[in-house]
Amino acid sequence: MVPEAWRSGLVSTGRVVGVLLILGALHKASAAVIRYEILEEREKGFAVGNVVRDLGLDLGSLSARRLRVVSGASRRFFEVNWETGEMFVNDRLDREELCGTLPSCTLTLELVVERPLELFSAEVVIQDINDNNPSFPTREMKLEISEAVAPGTRFPLESAHDPDVGSNSLQTYELSRNEYFALRVQTREDSTKYAELVLERALDREREPDLQLVLTALDGGTPARSASLPIRIVVLDANDNAPTFNQSLYRARVLEDAPPGTRVVQVHATDLDEGPNGEIIYSFGSHNRAGVRELFSLDLVTGVLTVKGRLDFEDAKLHEIYIQAKDKGANPEGAHCKVLVEVVDVNDNAPEITVTSVYSPVPEDAPLGTVIALLSVTDLDAGENGLVTCEVPPGLPFSLTSSLKNYFTLKTSAALDRETVAEYNLSITARDAGTPSLSALTTVQVQVSDINDNPPQSSQSSYDVYVEENNLPGVPILNLSVWDPDAPQNARLSFFLLEQGAEIGLVGRYFTINRDSGVVSSLVPLDHEDRRAFELTAHISDGGTPVLATNISVNIFVTDRNDNAPQVLYPRPGQSSVELLPRGTSAGHVVTRVVGWDPDAGHNAWLSYSLLGAPNQSLFAVGLHTGQVSTARPVQDTDSPRQTLTVLIKDNGEPSLSTTATLTVSVIEESPEARAEFPSGSAPREQNKNLTFYLLLSLILVSVGFAITILGVIVFKVYKWKQSRDLYRAPVSSLYRTPGPSLHADAVRGGLMPPHLYHQVYLTTDSRRSDPLLKKPGAASPLASRQNTLRSLDPVFYRQVLGAESSPPGQVRVSKSSWNDINAF
């Protein structure tokens, strides 16, 4: 055992052998090498040295940083006490088992700490103690020596074997006292000892035919250990010529993977005697080490040395073989030679990869050069056969760099994206430089952890939804298709509805959205006549940190259903209105006009009129699309003086809805206004004169109005043409968005919806043959809409309503109070 003070001195003066710079960007990775010496067979728990103090680490953070000993061996001989920082013996250390007969036994260890990751190297020198006795391969040795052997002849003896090394190994031999032989101790090329008997006095078989000697092998330990070998010497009759080899040393080279039977070398000896005394037999000498006979075989007759067992360059690079030759004489004498067999290395050992530490999962935003794992690679071959390189498959965002000898660092070489690849199974290949090259493969699993780097995504930036009015509340009207490619927690979506523009209150009053599923539902039945479109914004946010969000425009259009029956504007329901019809009126005379109105849109608002009931069906006719009530034949004296007409007003919806209007027509003999104005018989002539004047004046006014209208239309068309040309020349981004679904209305269609959604279309009196002429904002109130409807009627009827001038002969004038009643309606 080495004294403690001396051992501490070795540690303090030679603790750090050198500092190696790691050739990669490790997180504070260190390459300090510390060295300790310890005697073999130390008890478990024996303190080797304080690695924390020697490496300059913080003892307080040792447990958190998880300092551990990493070794490529299959057994863990050392451990570190996290409380004291001492590295202690964890398993039995037998130097002979670990290093065999190597003169120096050094165990190389790696110390790894985490947070941040650091790597240190340590060497522990196992010193030998004298714990093994020398031993001989046989219990007794027998020598047959001819009495004719001259003094000075040497006889090799069996060699003892001591597994210890250095001063504890075999040092010398001793021979028991005798008068014939002396002992000579020789040293081999590997510094081991062997003994030879030297004949100092000629033998006399007749005097002493048999001698008993004792050979003692001693090692250099304290105290010394020994082994004894009895030697029996049989004195033979003389054979005066001994065989001789043509050379005392033979050299040969053989590959370590040579199959059994491969020829190594042939030794040759000659004997000048004749007959049996000249016939030579070859055999292995006594100086051979243990195991030679298992690796090689020798032909007794030819002296050819061949391979018998499996050679291993990593076990022994050189074999020293001793061969003897004897004749067949009665008293054979032997000759000896030495054969040095050099074992040539072949690439028969594949590299071995050990993954010492793996950093996983790796955040997808990890910077380039982030250390993923440390790998150690070993190859038992020598030279080029033991030179190892590592590589990862191309095209992956990882690279390998060499940090220490036989150590490699796996780093990131490109940006990671969990949404593209969430996990990598890296196949790392270690390949040596031998021929043929051998390789090893190991797999490192690297998982990529998610960060919130993707906002919610949708296949479209806006949705146009058409909902039929009078829908059921709570029924879904839209399911937003939104997803987030991030991991589940970051991809957890939350949906909200926001109003667009200055108008508020749409959300919560009309619509709601499921916060988790994105299903939009209406809270109340929608009414096309109340509101035709809603503009909302769906705000979708994820569950990451920071939160990412996306906005999607949602345009909800309320489509019309035929849910409103036509309404009667004139005559006003509930109020009596009597139309006067003079007798003798010709066919085709317009009596009045029924004005209907339908709050629905499009085809649902197209109205048709028909005469449902009358005392005399042949007297009156109703215009199908105009509602104009006129005489179908001349009024006769036999016609009832009071006619009650029922007019059916029906829309074009599916199913069709209808209402009725009741008219009272009074058939009179003569117009009271005419009698009051023309009391005398000269009235007809004066009336005809006034009528001619008014007809001429009307013709002139109509002509001038027509000319002004034509001119105005031309000017307006030119103005619109220039405006449209300027519009198309403008950038595309300045154009208005294409409007939504067209809104249809009949000529009798009023404006009962809010001003910002209402449009009115002017049509001809026949709705089925009408084309839209102009689209403009509608009236601000239903009353204005009804007044516009009345103004679009026949001018004669309009004058009748206004009562601005006298009716022509044969027609009645509606009083101003009647028109006020209509306006009041």
Side-chain angles (χ1 to χ4, degrees):
M1 174 179 176
V2 180
E4 185 65 20
W6 180 75
R7 186 182 65 81
S8 300
L10 288 177
V11 173
S12 60
T13 58
R15 183 178 303 145
V16 179
V17 175
V19 177
L20 300 176
L21 297 178
I22 297 181
L23 301 179
L26 293 175
H27 297 292
K28 298 182 181 180
S30 173
V33 180
I34 55 177
R35 185 183 179 90
Y36 301 97
E37 295 184 2
I38 184 176
L39 297 178
E40 68 172 332
E41 303 294 344
R42 280 293 190 186
E43 66 276 12
K44 185 175 181 179
F46 178 81
V48 179
N50 195 313
V51 295
V52 175
R53 182 181 66 246
D54 297 338
L55 294 175
L57 300 176
D58 182 14
L59 183 61
S61 62
L62 193 62
S63 176
R65 297 189 65 186
R66 297 177 54 83
L67 173 63
R68 63 185 186 276
V69 179
V70 180
S71 175
S74 59
R75 294 165 54 187
R76 297 172 63 95
F77 294 101
F78 301 96
E79 289 288 348
V80 176
N81 189 323
W82 289 353
E83 296 180 358
T84 63
E86 293 280 350
M87 183 171 69
F88 59 91
V89 176
N90 191 47
D91 199 355
R92 175 176 177 267
L93 296 173
D94 187 355
R95 194 205 63 80
E96 287 74 27
E97 180 183 350
L98 295 174
C99 302
T101 59
L102 295 176
S104 176
C105 184
T106 302
L107 295 183
T108 301
L109 310 173
E110 287 76 44
L111 303 174
V112 177
V113 294
E114 300 177 354
R115 303 185 185 97
L117 187 64
E118 295 183 270
L119 176 67
F120 305 91
S121 292
E123 294 181 353
V124 180
V125 179
I126 310 300
Q127 296 180 345
D128 183 59
I129 63 174
N130 192 24
D131 58 341
N132 292 283
N133 293 325
S135 62
F136 288 95
T138 60
R139 293 185 178 183
E140 183 181 20
M141 183 177 181
K142 179 181 179 180
L143 289 178
E144 295 179 349
I145 302 176
S146 174
E147 62 180 350
V149 174
T153 304
R154 296 173 180 265
F155 301 94
L157 300 177
E158 291 284 353
S159 296
H161 175 67
D162 192 340
D164 296 324
V165 296
S167 61
N168 295 325
S169 65
L170 182 65
Q171 298 296 318
T172 186
Y173 292 89
E174 293 180 357
L175 187 65
S176 60
R177 283 182 174 274
N178 68 90
E179 60 181 303
Y180 295 101
F181 296 95
L183 187 65
R184 296 290 183 268
V185 179
Q186 305 292 336
T187 303
R188 298 186 181 93
E189 291 186 3
D190 59 356
S191 300
T192 58
K193 308 290 186 180
Y194 67 92
E196 293 181 339
L197 282 178
V198 180
L199 183 62
E200 292 186 336
R201 179 182 174 184
L203 298 175
D204 187 359
R205 190 192 65 82
E206 288 73 23
R207 181 184 174 186
E208 287 187 271
D210 203 349
L211 297 176
Q212 294 291 336
L213 304 178
V214 176
L215 178 65
T216 303
L218 300 171
D219 62 19
T222 304
R225 294 176 177 264
S226 63
S228 297
L229 176 67
I231 301 176
R232 180 189 174 194
I233 298 177
V234 178
V235 181
L236 303 176
D237 284 340
N239 183 6
D240 55 345
N241 289 292
T244 58
F245 284 95
N246 58 354
Q247 59 188 73
S248 61
L249 179 64
Y250 293 86
R251 295 182 182 273
R253 302 177 78 244
V254 62
L255 297 176
E256 65 171 325
D257 62 346
T262 301
R263 176 171 174 164
V264 179
V265 70
Q266 183 177 13
V267 298
H268 181 69
T270 59
D271 193 323
L272 298 178
D273 293 328
E274 293 183 354
N277 292 331
E279 295 180 6
I280 298 175
I281 297 177
Y282 300 95
S283 62
F284 287 106
S286 303
H287 302 320
N288 290 303
R289 297 175 62 88
V292 169
R293 289 177 175 85
E294 284 74 23
L295 296 177
F296 300 95
S297 63
L298 181 65
D299 191 286
L300 302 180
V301 178
T302 62
V304 175
L305 184 69
T306 57
V307 176
K308 178 182 179 182
R310 182 181 179 276
L311 302 179
D312 191 354
F313 173 83
E314 290 71 36
D315 184 32
K317 300 175 178 60
L318 182 68
H319 294 278
E320 189 174 339
I321 304 173
Y322 294 90
I323 298 177
Q324 68 178 3
K326 288 185 178 181
D327 57 30
K328 295 182 178 180
N331 301 308
E333 295 184 10
H336 301 83
C337 70
K338 181 167 61 175
V339 179
L340 294 179
V341 180
E342 179 184 358
V343 180
V344 181
D345 181 49
V346 296
N347 193 25
D348 59 344
N349 291 282
E352 295 181 0
I353 305 175
T354 302
V355 181
T356 59
S357 182
V358 177
Y359 172 41
S360 179
V362 183
E364 61 178 325
D365 63 344
L368 300 184
T370 300
V371 176
I372 304 301
L374 296 178
L375 300 93
S376 61
V377 182
T378 57
D379 194 316
L380 300 178
D381 293 320
E384 294 291 331
N385 296 330
L387 184 61
V388 180
T389 58
C390 283
E391 59 184 16
V392 294
L396 297 179
F398 300 96
S399 63
L400 281 172
T401 58
S402 178
S403 54
L404 294 174
K405 183 180 179 181
N406 295 331
Y407 281 87
F408 294 86
T409 303
L410 180 65
K411 305 177 186 178
T412 57
S413 60
L416 303 177
D417 188 3
R418 189 205 67 83
E419 288 71 44
T420 303
V421 181
E423 182 178 281
Y424 293 90
N425 289 318
L426 297 178
S427 299
I428 300 177
T429 304
R431 183 174 287 103
D432 60 28
T435 302
S437 177
L438 299 179
S439 62
L441 182 68
T442 188
T443 301
V444 176
Q445 187 180 60
V446 180
Q447 294 181 342
V448 182
S449 61
D450 183 59
I451 64 169
N452 193 27
D453 57 346
N454 290 282
Q457 299 179 12
S458 175
S459 58
Q460 54 191 93
S461 60
S462 63
Y463 286 84
D464 291 339
V465 184
Y466 295 90
V467 182
E468 193 174 31
E469 65 175 332
N470 301 326
N471 59 306
L472 294 177
V475 176
I477 60 176
L478 174 63
N479 188 3
L480 293 175
S481 176
V482 184
W483 68 92
D484 194 317
D486 289 322
Q489 181 58 35
N490 292 329
R492 184 176 181 180
L493 302 181
S494 298
F495 297 83
F496 303 92
L497 278 182
L498 307 174
E499 285 95 354
Q500 289 186 2
E503 188 175 7
I504 60 174
L506 299 180
V507 178
R509 180 165 50 136
Y510 288 98
F511 302 101
T512 184
I513 188 170
N514 188 296
R515 182 171 180 176
D516 298 323
S517 64
V519 176
V520 180
S521 306
S522 63
L523 296 174
V524 297
L526 301 180
D527 189 357
H528 176 81
E529 290 72 38
D530 178 44
R531 188 181 182 110
R532 298 190 178 186
F534 298 88
E535 294 183 1
L536 305 175
T537 297
H539 180 79
I540 304 98
S541 60
D542 59 23
T545 303
V547 176
L548 299 179
T550 298
N551 289 339
I552 299 177
S553 297
V554 178
N555 300 314
I556 300 177
F557 300 99
V558 183
T559 60
D560 183 58
R561 293 180 61 184
N562 192 27
D563 58 343
N564 291 280
Q567 300 179 15
V568 180
L569 295 182
Y570 183 83
R572 185 173 180 179
Q575 294 185 3
S576 61
S577 177
V578 180
E579 304 294 338
L580 302 179
L581 179 64
R583 292 186 183 277
T585 302
S586 62
H589 171 74
V590 177
V591 179
T592 185
R593 175 172 292 178
V594 177
V595 180
W597 174 75
D598 195 319
D600 292 321
H603 289 77
N604 295 328
W606 289 5
L607 302 181
S608 60
Y609 303 85
S610 61
L611 185 61
L612 183 62
N616 194 334
Q617 295 286 346
S618 62
L619 180 58
F620 298 99
V622 179
L624 179 63
H625 301 293
T626 62
Q628 182 175 280
V629 180
S630 59
T631 57
R633 60 176 176 77
V635 180
Q636 301 174 359
D637 294 338
T638 60
D639 291 328
S640 174
R642 187 175 182 86
Q643 303 281 340
T644 301
L645 308 180
T646 301
V647 178
L648 177 67
I649 306 174
K650 184 172 63 173
D651 61 24
N652 196 39
E654 191 65 39
S656 177
L657 301 178
S658 62
T659 188
T660 58
T662 302
L663 297 175
T664 301
V665 179
S666 178
V667 180
I668 61 176
E669 297 298 329
E670 185 178 2
S671 175
E673 290 80 356
R675 281 200 305 269
E677 189 173 356
F678 307 109
S680 63
S682 62
R685 180 178 300 177
E686 185 65 27
Q687 183 179 2
N688 292 336
K689 186 184 298 183
N690 293 335
L691 179 60
T692 303
F693 170 76
Y694 286 124
L695 289 176
L696 291 176
L697 181 61
S698 299
L699 180 60
I700 295 172
L701 292 177
V702 169
S703 301
V704 172
F706 178 76
I708 294 174
T709 301
I710 295 300
L711 181 61
V713 169
I714 294 174
V715 173
F716 178 75
K717 289 293 185 180
V718 171
Y719 170 75
K720 295 298 289 183
W721 174 75
K722 289 184 177 181
Q723 191 178 38
S724 62
R725 185 177 61 179
D726 295 338
L727 179 63
Y728 285 110
R729 288 179 178 177
V732 177
S733 60
S734 65
L735 297 178
Y736 290 102
R737 191 180 71 174
T738 304
S742 300
L743 304 175
H744 304 282
D746 202 316
V748 294
R749 175 73 170 93
L752 297 182
M753 61 284 297
H756 66 287
L757 292 179
Y758 175 69
H759 292 73
Q760 183 174 355
V761 178
Y762 288 89
L763 308 172
T764 63
T765 55
D766 191 352
S767 300
R768 295 186 178 180
R769 296 192 298 272
S770 300
D771 294 323
L773 299 179
L774 179 62
K775 190 174 183 180
K776 66 177 184 178
S781 66
L783 179 59
S785 174
R786 294 184 180 95
Q787 291 175 351
N788 291 336
T789 302
L790 293 174
R791 291 190 182 100
S792 64
L793 302 178
D794 188 284
V796 176
F797 179 75
Y798 185 67
R799 287 195 302 271
Q800 288 178 357
V801 176
L802 291 181
E805 50 185 80
S806 300
S807 301
Q811 294 187 357
V812 238
R813 180 172 58 189
V814 180
S815 64
K816 187 175 183 180
S817 61
S818 300
W819 175 245
N820 291 335
D821 292 339
I822 295 174
N823 287 339
F825 176 74

